[in-house]
Amino acid sequence: MKAKLYLLFFFVQLITAMEIEISITNQELTLRDDNGVIKTYKISTSKYGEGSTENSFKTPLGKHEIKKMIGKDVIIGGRFIGRVHTGEVFPIYSDQEIYVKEDVVQSRILWLSGLENNKNKGIGVDSFARYIYIHGTPEEWLLGSKASKGCIRMSNKDVIELFEKVHEGMIVNIK
């Protein structure tokens, strides 16, 4: 029994020690733990810049947490509307320079909630109320440049991989 409790404690410690850092400058998302970098992914943040104001389409800065994880068993490319999988598999453009008119959310959703009052949490600046996600995008060819409408976009393969490594409550720091 003591061995099982020790393993459970060890596992919980591993989970709580991980966090995500998002670099606007480098257009990278880094998953790290106390021992260092686990993996770095290419991303896209907002083409409108950084900020927290409601309806600005900007990427909010500061400390967040993963509040909800959506889409665990959705097929790669699966499209979400209003956080519900539609059943549609939207095309993914990784090599073709095709612009998609809509802001398509694909494969997985990590819904962020701000942790800093009046910066990314609260009336008029709330990341959760603004529906700020980490999610897959059909415009994978744009990753590495600012291209979103506030969210953090990833390749569909990468967001699925990240989804399997993270948990609700994990810290996400956007700088």
Side-chain angles (χ1 to χ4, degrees):
M1 182 68 172
K2 285 184 181 180
K4 286 183 182 179
L5 285 174
Y6 177 76
L7 285 174
L8 180 61
F9 175 76
F10 181 73
F11 182 71
V12 169
Q13 289 298 96
L14 283 177
I15 288 176
T16 56
M18 289 195 315
E19 68 178 27
I20 293 172
E21 183 177 296
I22 294 171
S23 169
I24 301 285
T25 302
N26 298 329
Q27 292 294 289
E28 291 178 339
L29 180 152
T30 302
L31 178 64
R32 64 178 72 239
D33 64 15
D34 292 337
N35 297 317
V37 173
I38 297 169
K39 186 145 185 192
T40 299
Y41 301 93
K42 191 175 359 174
I43 61 160
S44 286
T45 59
S46 178
K47 63 184 170 187
Y48 301 102
E50 297 74 52
S52 297
T53 305
E54 199 172 321
N55 300 317
S56 67
F57 299 110
K58 295 180 178 184
T59 299
L61 299 175
K63 193 173 183 179
H64 293 76
E65 70 173 332
I66 298 172
K67 189 73 170 178
K68 291 189 178 184
M69 297 175 61
I70 302 168
K72 183 178 182 344
D73 295 318
V74 170
I75 189 167
I76 190 166
R79 183 177 187 180
F80 294 88
I81 295 178
R83 293 154 310 283
V84 176
H85 179 233
T86 64
E88 176 185 6
V89 176
F90 201 88
I92 299 168
Y93 306 106
S94 52
D95 298 325
Q96 300 170 307
E97 293 185 10
I98 295 176
Y99 288 96
V100 177
K101 290 182 183 180
E102 302 169 72
D103 191 13
V104 176
V105 175
Q106 287 180 290
S107 299
R108 300 291 185 276
I109 297 172
L110 300 172
W111 192 354
L112 303 182
S113 182
L115 295 173
E116 298 178 73
N117 286 325
N118 302 316
K119 181 174 183 177
N120 54 34
K121 180 179 181 176
I123 297 170
V125 296
D126 198 275
S127 294
F128 191 75
R130 290 181 59 213
Y131 304 103
I132 299 297
Y133 314 139
I134 299 170
H135 66 82
T137 179
E139 297 175 322
E140 290 185 352
W141 65 276
L142 283 171
L143 294 172
S145 62
K146 293 182 175 189
S148 84
K149 292 184 178 177
C151 290
I152 291 85
R153 294 179 175 182
M154 297 182 73
S155 80
N156 290 277
K157 180 179 96 11
D158 287 349
V159 78
I160 290 170
E161 179 180 287
L162 180 66
F163 190 95
E164 295 302 318
K165 294 179 180 185
V166 302
H167 60 88
E168 289 181 358
M170 181 178 282
I171 298 299
V172 178
N173 197 11
I174 305 173
K175 304 178 183 188

